[in-house]
Amino acid sequence: YALLAVAAATGGTISGYDAPRLATFVWASQGTLAVIAIWGTSEQAERIRTGDVVIDLQRPVDPVWHLLAVDAGRAVFNLITRMTLPLLAGALVFDMYVPHDPVTYALFPVSLALAVVVSFACRHLVQSAAYWTLDVRGPQVLWVLVSGLLSGLYFPLWLLPEPWASLLVYGTP
């Protein structure tokens, strides 16, 4: 409602986002947040801190592939329960934008799968900081702040002035 109020106060649009596009941005980004899990958990860092990671390293399965498989299963579950259902509920309450280009529907699953893998890789790097630090909370807090800002989670990046908007949209994962 805050973005809708700003759009209404500025003539109905903000940087090309009208009310249906803003509603779609909010509902889709909140659903996508659960699927991508940009912040994730600190289970890996805790296993490193306690030394339990040694058991993982002795198993015949590469721990990175194992963790990625677990994360992919979590993403599929959240796609069904925390994205699709709330997005449908949002569509019942708000007038939402529906893309007209069929290519959008084909590229969305590809984009979402790549986002899950990139998010996993970034979280894995942050959690792996536990190998060298006594406490991984510092890198985690930095990751939460920077990733939320640079991903467009807090607001659409196109609301920023140029060239910052283009730099962040095209220059970051």
Side-chain angles (χ1 to χ4, degrees):
Y1 281 112
L3 287 174
L4 292 176
V6 171
T10 60
T13 63
I14 308 171
S15 296
Y17 284 81
D18 56 0
R21 288 175 194 252
L22 285 170
T24 303
F25 170 80
V26 170
W27 283 92
S29 65
Q30 289 301 308
T32 306
L33 180 64
V35 175
I36 295 172
I38 196 168
W39 299 311
T41 64
S42 60
E43 180 182 341
Q44 178 189 355
E46 184 62 22
R47 291 186 65 76
I48 293 169
R49 189 187 67 75
T50 61
D52 291 340
V53 73
V54 173
I55 297 167
D56 298 337
L57 296 172
Q58 292 177 346
R59 292 185 176 140
V61 177
D62 186 324
V64 176
W65 287 108
H66 169 74
L67 291 170
L68 180 58
V70 169
D71 198 55
R74 178 212 47 80
V76 170
F77 176 78
N78 284 333
L79 176 68
I80 296 166
T81 60
R82 295 189 63 196
M83 182 177 180
T84 305
L85 297 176
L87 198 57
L88 291 173
L92 292 174
V93 177
F94 291 94
D95 182 25
M96 295 179 66
Y97 175 76
V98 178
H100 303 292
D101 190 0
V103 175
T104 304
Y105 297 101
L107 290 179
F108 180 73
V110 174
S111 174
L112 195 59
L114 288 173
V116 168
V117 171
V118 168
S119 174
F120 167 78
C122 293
R123 284 183 284 118
H124 182 70
L125 289 173
V126 170
Q127 298 298 313
S128 293
Y131 283 115
W132 300 280
T133 61
L134 296 175
D135 193 358
V136 77
R137 287 181 290 184
Q140 283 178 329
V141 168
L142 182 62
W143 169 247
V144 167
L145 293 174
V146 171
S147 64
L149 179 64
L150 298 181
S151 69
L153 175 65
Y154 301 142
F155 55 88
L157 293 177
W158 290 114
L159 298 182
L160 294 172
E162 287 295 337
W164 296 108
S166 294
L167 180 68
L168 288 176
V169 168
Y170 299 118
T172 61

